[in-house]
Amino acid sequence: WDKELQRDSNGRIFLDVNPKCFQAIVDYLNEMAISSEDNPPGLPSVDDEHTHILRHQLELFGLLDKVPTFEMPDSNIIKAEGHATQL
């Protein structure tokens, strides 16, 4: 799978994701790592206009179940045989 990842001209992995949403996810994961169970971090958040993108990225990275109270309507992503297509 590593050979299928997009890379830049220096061979670094390229993630084509929204930077604001990605930063919210990274910040949340960092806070989870340093927080205690009795004082968990707040949920990742972005502006309302980016909320659907945040949900999609959480789903994309397999993290939606790590944020169980993140409530949004179902995504408009159709998944088939390991591929995703947006309607």
Side-chain angles (χ1 to χ4, degrees), residues 4 9 11 13 18 20 28-29 31-33 40 42 45 48-49 52 54-55 57 62 64-65 72 77-78 80 85 87:
E4 295 178 23
S9 60
I13 295 173
N18 180 284
K20 290 180 182 181
Y28 177 73
L29 293 174
E31 289 178 29
M32 279 185 59
S45 63
D48 288 343
E49 67 187 70
H52 69 285
L54 177 60
R55 177 186 163 68
Q57 286 185 201
L64 200 54
D65 64 330
M72 285 276 307
I77 304 298
I78 298 174
T85 304
L87 298 176

Side-chain angles (χ1 to χ4, degrees), residues 3-16:
K3 291 179 172 94
E4 295 178 23
L5 297 173
Q6 282 186 294
R7 297 186 181 266
D8 68 9
S9 60
N10 294 316
R12 297 175 293 209
I13 295 173
F14 175 74
L15 298 175
D16 189 12

Side-chain angles (χ1 to χ4, degrees), residues 18-33 35 40-59 61-72:
N18 180 284
K20 290 180 182 181
C21 295
F22 188 71
Q23 186 65 58
I25 293 169
V26 170
D27 290 345
Y28 177 73
L29 293 174
N30 283 332
E31 289 178 29
M32 279 185 59
S35 297
L43 297 175
S45 63
V46 291
D47 297 334
D48 288 343
E49 67 187 70
H50 293 103
T51 304
H52 69 285
I53 298 170
L54 177 60
R55 177 186 163 68
H56 171 68
Q57 286 185 201
L58 286 166
E59 194 174 3
F61 294 119
L63 298 170
L64 200 54
D65 64 330
K66 305 290 185 204
V67 188
T69 58
F70 190 83
E71 295 178 13
M72 285 276 307

